[in-house]
Structures are given as C-alpha cells and as structure tokens.
Amino acid sequence: MTETSYDSLLGPYLHGVPNSGGVIKAEPEHFQVVEELELPQQDPQLQQGEHQWLWVRKRGANTPYVAAQLAKFAGVKERDVSYSGLKDRQAITEQWFSIQLPGQQLLPWHELEHPEFSVLQAVLQPRKLKTGTHKRNRFTIRIEAITDTDAFNQRWQQVCTQGVPNYYGLQRFGKDGQNISNAVEWLSGRLRRRLNRTQIGLYLSAARSFLFNQVLAERIRHNLLTPLEGEPMLLSGSQSFFIAEQIDAALLERLASGDIELSGPLMGSGERQQISQAQAAELEQGVFAQYPELLQGLAKQRLDGGRRALLLRPQQAQLNWLSDTVAEISFALPKGCFATALIRELVTTE
C-alpha cells in the first residue's frame, strides 16, 4: 500500500475514455471559480462583530497561502484565519475568509497589496466562517485545441444528462499521491515525526477520499449504479439519508427523478464506521478489506461516518464555442465536488 500508484487514485470512466482531446489551464484566467455563500443576515447599517469577513480574489495562489498573508497583515496567528473551502491554485478564484479580531473596527484591507490576491470586500460578522459553509462553487472553464468538436458536443450532452463519477480529484491526494502515501505511513504507525493539525487533516481526508474512490470504482467496474439492498440513499441536496431496505418501483422512480441519490461511504470510527447494510455493506467491506492499514488506522480516529453521492451532475450547465477549437463551459457543483471529475469524462487533457 505504501507504493500506491498515482493512476490508481481514480477508477474507471463512466462513459468511456473521451474521443476528443483538449488543453485546460493554459492560463489561470481559463479556469475560474466563484464560491457561492450567503452572508448571515444583519442590518447593513449596524454591522458589528469581532470577525472580519473578506471577499478575496486570488490568482496562482493556494488558499492556505492567502490565509497566511491575511494573518500577517492583521498581526494574528494563522489559526485565527478561517475559510469555507480550498480553491484551485492554478486559477482565478473568489472566496470568503474570516479573521477573529475582537474589539477592532475593519482594518484598511484596501491597503493590502499583493501580486497574487486582492481583498474586494470586507464586512463585520458576529461569527467565524466555518469549513463547509458555502453551498456550491461556480466554474467557468476554457478548453482549447479541441481535436474533435462533434465528439466533444456529444459527450457534453451525455455528461449533463447522465452525470459523471463523483471521484475526489487527484489534487486531494497531493503531488504524485504523496498525501495518501503519508496517510498510510501515519495511520500504520510507521511515520515517527510529529504532525501538525493541518497535516493530520490532510492525511485523514486523503485516506477517506481514497476509500470512497475505490468503492465507486468497484461499482462502476461491475455496472452497479442502481440501488443495492441496504444502501443509504441520500436525499438530493442534503446530508440526510435512509436505508433502502427494499428495491421497488417507487424507489427507482425517486432515483430517476433526482429526488434521491446513490451514495458511497466516508469512513468513520467505532459505531459510526459502518452505516450501510446488507448487500451494500458487503460490497463496501470487500473493498475496505483490501486496505487493512487504512481501515484499522481510521478506526482509531474520532471521525463521524458519512455518505457522499456516487454520481455528479453539473447544475446550470452552459457551453459556448469561442472558435472552431475553443469552448467555454460553465456550471455549478455542490461543495466538495471536483470540476476535474467532470472534465476527465469530457475531454482528454494529456
């Protein structure tokens, strides 16, 4: 397991390898992400609170780096800066940050000049920004040098109507999959150096994401994208679920209408480790058994078990041809979902 290959982090294609090639991220401007998050309601004339929320646009910088620069400007520690989610580095992105500064008015954020980011708006709020607060992200992506426009158009329609596998993207696992390799070393007790809170979070996330991807790959590989007996069915747009005790016409109709979704496991610990039952539990446990070090290591952590949708469908999807070989696509995805999972099914980029 310590030799986990980079290619094994993702599983089979749902619609087959795309017939069309293309180029993405030729420039950061070709990959744009805007976080969609509603600010807590309060009277704009009576802004108050000890948390300064900042709407930031960044280019070619990762989210933790920007957080560190904001902390430096405010004269606080990095742990006093929070954000809802990580955004792509090689891109133009906009997202909220918050900084706890008790008893202070808004700092002169307009004076903070940096070549990789700028603060576009600052407001006072009574609470900090917590991880996962945003609802979704909107993407605008330019794809150049498209080799087969007919195949591209056909695959775009297929992706929009049937969805794509909701894999965790390769960026979750670090360069050359080092996050999952380090996670195995740490969870197995072979990694002796002390880890900080950020590193522990990265490794736990990589481990759970890896196992989810393997279960999803197994179901695609064996054409099991219909409800399994004992499968937790997600209510669309929420974290709520119910166990599919019986696979009947009513359940299949709800799935076809988009009211409910198939789900895969996010490993927990103790009693929270296993949520699925019957056939679904048998399949998932069969996959987990292939990775005993991850399974045993995660069981010792204090983690809540959860579920994640197996398929991902773009929302408000649009395609605009800028030239004969250049297309711009825009769409929204729920938080925690990866645009690269959609692009992978749409066009080959290597």
Side-chain angles (χ1 to χ4, degrees), residues 231-246:
E231 178 172 351
M233 303 298 297
L234 283 172
L235 300 180
S236 294
S238 77
Q239 295 299 308
S240 301
F241 63 85
F242 65 91
I243 301 298
E245 297 179 354
Q246 182 177 356

PDB file of all heavy atoms in Angstrom, residues 231-246:
ATOM      1  N   GLU A 231     -28.474  -0.025   0.997  1.00  0.00           N
ATOM      2  CA  GLU A 231     -27.708   1.178   0.664  1.00  0.00           C
ATOM      3  C   GLU A 231     -28.359   2.423   1.256  1.00  0.00           C
ATOM      4  O   GLU A 231     -29.569   2.624   1.129  1.00  0.00           O
ATOM      5  CB  GLU A 231     -27.609   1.340  -0.857  1.00  0.00           C
ATOM      6  CG  GLU A 231     -26.862   2.594  -1.284  1.00  0.00           C
ATOM      7  CD  GLU A 231     -26.602   2.635  -2.785  1.00  0.00           C
ATOM      8  OE1 GLU A 231     -26.850   1.609  -3.451  1.00  0.00           O
ATOM      9  OE2 GLU A 231     -26.157   3.672  -3.280  1.00  0.00           O
ATOM     10  N   PRO A 232     -27.581   3.287   1.903  1.00  0.00           N
ATOM     11  CA  PRO A 232     -28.116   4.575   2.341  1.00  0.00           C
ATOM     12  C   PRO A 232     -28.363   5.463   1.113  1.00  0.00           C
ATOM     13  O   PRO A 232     -27.437   5.765   0.360  1.00  0.00           O
ATOM     14  CB  PRO A 232     -26.998   5.149   3.217  1.00  0.00           C
ATOM     15  CG  PRO A 232     -26.174   3.966   3.619  1.00  0.00           C
ATOM     16  CD  PRO A 232     -26.226   3.048   2.433  1.00  0.00           C
ATOM     17  N   MET A 233     -29.610   5.853   0.901  1.00  0.00           N
ATOM     18  CA  MET A 233     -29.981   6.709  -0.219  1.00  0.00           C
ATOM     19  C   MET A 233     -30.023   8.152   0.258  1.00  0.00           C
ATOM     20  O   MET A 233     -30.752   8.495   1.195  1.00  0.00           O
ATOM     21  CB  MET A 233     -31.348   6.294  -0.775  1.00  0.00           C
ATOM     22  CG  MET A 233     -31.434   4.834  -1.210  1.00  0.00           C
ATOM     23  SD  MET A 233     -30.308   4.403  -2.567  1.00  0.00           S
ATOM     24  CE  MET A 233     -30.953   5.451  -3.873  1.00  0.00           C
ATOM     25  N   LEU A 234     -29.226   8.986  -0.371  1.00  0.00           N
ATOM     26  CA  LEU A 234     -29.159  10.398   0.011  1.00  0.00           C
ATOM     27  C   LEU A 234     -30.360  11.159  -0.531  1.00  0.00           C
ATOM     28  O   LEU A 234     -30.764  10.966  -1.682  1.00  0.00           O
ATOM     29  CB  LEU A 234     -27.886  11.043  -0.542  1.00  0.00           C
ATOM     30  CG  LEU A 234     -26.571  10.754   0.183  1.00  0.00           C
ATOM     31  CD1 LEU A 234     -25.412  11.322  -0.627  1.00  0.00           C
ATOM     32  CD2 LEU A 234     -26.583  11.357   1.579  1.00  0.00           C
ATOM     33  N   LEU A 235     -30.907  12.038   0.287  1.00  0.00           N
ATOM     34  CA  LEU A 235     -31.887  12.993  -0.210  1.00  0.00           C
ATOM     35  C   LEU A 235     -31.115  14.085  -0.933  1.00  0.00           C
ATOM     36  O   LEU A 235     -30.203  14.700  -0.360  1.00  0.00           O
ATOM     37  CB  LEU A 235     -32.701  13.581   0.945  1.00  0.00           C
ATOM     38  CG  LEU A 235     -33.506  12.582   1.777  1.00  0.00           C
ATOM     39  CD1 LEU A 235     -34.271  13.315   2.882  1.00  0.00           C
ATOM     40  CD2 LEU A 235     -34.469  11.790   0.901  1.00  0.00           C
ATOM     41  N   SER A 236     -31.427  14.339  -2.184  1.00  0.00           N
ATOM     42  CA  SER A 236     -30.651  15.252  -3.017  1.00  0.00           C
ATOM     43  C   SER A 236     -30.514  16.622  -2.348  1.00  0.00           C
ATOM     44  O   SER A 236     -31.477  17.165  -1.813  1.00  0.00           O
ATOM     45  CB  SER A 236     -31.308  15.415  -4.383  1.00  0.00           C
ATOM     46  OG  SER A 236     -31.269  14.204  -5.089  1.00  0.00           O
ATOM     47  N   GLY A 237     -29.285  17.128  -2.374  1.00  0.00           N
ATOM     48  CA  GLY A 237     -29.023  18.447  -1.828  1.00  0.00           C
ATOM     49  C   GLY A 237     -28.885  18.491  -0.327  1.00  0.00           C
ATOM     50  O   GLY A 237     -28.854  19.584   0.256  1.00  0.00           O
ATOM     51  N   SER A 238     -28.788  17.334   0.328  1.00  0.00           N
ATOM     52  CA  SER A 238     -28.666  17.320   1.782  1.00  0.00           C
ATOM     53  C   SER A 238     -27.757  16.174   2.206  1.00  0.00           C
ATOM     54  O   SER A 238     -27.313  15.374   1.396  1.00  0.00           O
ATOM     55  CB  SER A 238     -30.042  17.159   2.431  1.00  0.00           C
ATOM     56  OG  SER A 238     -30.483  15.807   2.353  1.00  0.00           O
ATOM     57  N   GLN A 239     -27.490  16.122   3.508  1.00  0.00           N
ATOM     58  CA  GLN A 239     -26.715  15.025   4.079  1.00  0.00           C
ATOM     59  C   GLN A 239     -27.615  13.959   4.682  1.00  0.00           C
ATOM     60  O   GLN A 239     -27.141  12.985   5.262  1.00  0.00           O
ATOM     61  CB  GLN A 239     -25.764  15.575   5.150  1.00  0.00           C
ATOM     62  CG  GLN A 239     -24.709  16.514   4.616  1.00  0.00           C
ATOM     63  CD  GLN A 239     -23.792  15.840   3.608  1.00  0.00           C
ATOM     64  OE1 GLN A 239     -23.233  14.777   3.891  1.00  0.00           O
ATOM     65  NE2 GLN A 239     -23.628  16.446   2.453  1.00  0.00           N
ATOM     66  N   SER A 240     -28.928  14.126   4.577  1.00  0.00           N
ATOM     67  CA  SER A 240     -29.876  13.169   5.127  1.00  0.00           C
ATOM     68  C   SER A 240     -29.988  11.943   4.226  1.00  0.00           C
ATOM     69  O   SER A 240     -29.840  12.050   3.006  1.00  0.00           O
ATOM     70  CB  SER A 240     -31.252  13.818   5.290  1.00  0.00           C
ATOM     71  OG  SER A 240     -31.183  14.937   6.154  1.00  0.00           O
ATOM     72  N   PHE A 241     -30.247  10.798   4.828  1.00  0.00           N
ATOM     73  CA  PHE A 241     -30.371   9.573   4.045  1.00  0.00           C
ATOM     74  C   PHE A 241     -31.320   8.606   4.750  1.00  0.00           C
ATOM     75  O   PHE A 241     -31.652   8.758   5.930  1.00  0.00           O
ATOM     76  CB  PHE A 241     -29.008   8.917   3.831  1.00  0.00           C
ATOM     77  CG  PHE A 241     -28.333   8.465   5.098  1.00  0.00           C
ATOM     78  CD1 PHE A 241     -28.608   7.225   5.658  1.00  0.00           C
ATOM     79  CD2 PHE A 241     -27.406   9.285   5.744  1.00  0.00           C
ATOM     80  CE1 PHE A 241     -27.994   6.806   6.825  1.00  0.00           C
ATOM     81  CE2 PHE A 241     -26.790   8.883   6.922  1.00  0.00           C
ATOM     82  CZ  PHE A 241     -27.084   7.640   7.457  1.00  0.00           C
ATOM     83  N   PHE A 242     -31.728   7.608   4.007  1.00  0.00           N
ATOM     84  CA  PHE A 242     -32.487   6.497   4.566  1.00  0.00           C
ATOM     85  C   PHE A 242     -31.967   5.210   3.948  1.00  0.00           C
ATOM     86  O   PHE A 242     -31.386   5.222   2.853  1.00  0.00           O
ATOM     87  CB  PHE A 242     -33.997   6.660   4.305  1.00  0.00           C
ATOM     88  CG  PHE A 242     -34.375   6.598   2.844  1.00  0.00           C
ATOM     89  CD1 PHE A 242     -34.723   5.388   2.248  1.00  0.00           C
ATOM     90  CD2 PHE A 242     -34.364   7.754   2.069  1.00  0.00           C
ATOM     91  CE1 PHE A 242     -35.068   5.330   0.905  1.00  0.00           C
ATOM     92  CE2 PHE A 242     -34.712   7.697   0.715  1.00  0.00           C
ATOM     93  CZ  PHE A 242     -35.065   6.486   0.137  1.00  0.00           C
ATOM     94  N   ILE A 243     -32.147   4.111   4.641  1.00  0.00           N
ATOM     95  CA  ILE A 243     -31.653   2.819   4.171  1.00  0.00           C
ATOM     96  C   ILE A 243     -32.660   2.200   3.202  1.00  0.00           C
ATOM     97  O   ILE A 243     -33.851   2.108   3.500  1.00  0.00           O
ATOM     98  CB  ILE A 243     -31.410   1.858   5.344  1.00  0.00           C
ATOM     99  CG1 ILE A 243     -30.399   2.461   6.322  1.00  0.00           C
ATOM    100  CG2 ILE A 243     -30.936   0.501   4.839  1.00  0.00           C
ATOM    101  CD1 ILE A 243     -29.035   2.705   5.737  1.00  0.00           C
ATOM    102  N   ALA A 244     -32.152   1.803   2.033  1.00  0.00           N
ATOM    103  CA  ALA A 244     -33.004   1.143   1.034  1.00  0.00           C
ATOM    104  C   ALA A 244     -33.184  -0.321   1.440  1.00  0.00           C
ATOM    105  O   ALA A 244     -32.379  -1.182   1.085  1.00  0.00           O
ATOM    106  CB  ALA A 244     -32.377   1.248  -0.351  1.00  0.00           C
ATOM    107  N   GLU A 245     -34.215  -0.575   2.200  1.00  0.00           N
ATOM    108  CA  GLU A 245     -34.473  -1.945   2.659  1.00  0.00           C
ATOM    109  C   GLU A 245     -35.088  -2.804   1.559  1.00  0.00           C
ATOM    110  O   GLU A 245     -34.941  -4.018   1.556  1.00  0.00           O
ATOM    111  CB  GLU A 245     -35.394  -1.905   3.881  1.00  0.00           C
ATOM    112  CG  GLU A 245     -34.763  -1.195   5.080  1.00  0.00           C
ATOM    113  CD  GLU A 245     -35.689  -1.148   6.269  1.00  0.00           C
ATOM    114  OE1 GLU A 245     -36.864  -1.558   6.120  1.00  0.00           O
ATOM    115  OE2 GLU A 245     -35.243  -0.710   7.345  1.00  0.00           O
ATOM    116  N   GLN A 246     -35.787  -2.141   0.639  1.00  0.00           N
ATOM    117  CA  GLN A 246     -36.417  -2.868  -0.458  1.00  0.00           C
ATOM    118  C   GLN A 246     -36.264  -2.066  -1.733  1.00  0.00           C
ATOM    119  O   GLN A 246     -36.537  -0.863  -1.756  1.00  0.00           O
ATOM    120  CB  GLN A 246     -37.905  -3.098  -0.154  1.00  0.00           C
ATOM    121  CG  GLN A 246     -38.639  -3.899  -1.217  1.00  0.00           C
ATOM    122  CD  GLN A 246     -40.080  -4.160  -0.831  1.00  0.00           C
ATOM    123  OE1 GLN A 246     -40.509  -3.802   0.258  1.00  0.00           O
ATOM    124  NE2 GLN A 246     -40.835  -4.780  -1.733  1.00  0.00           N
TER     125      GLN A 246
END
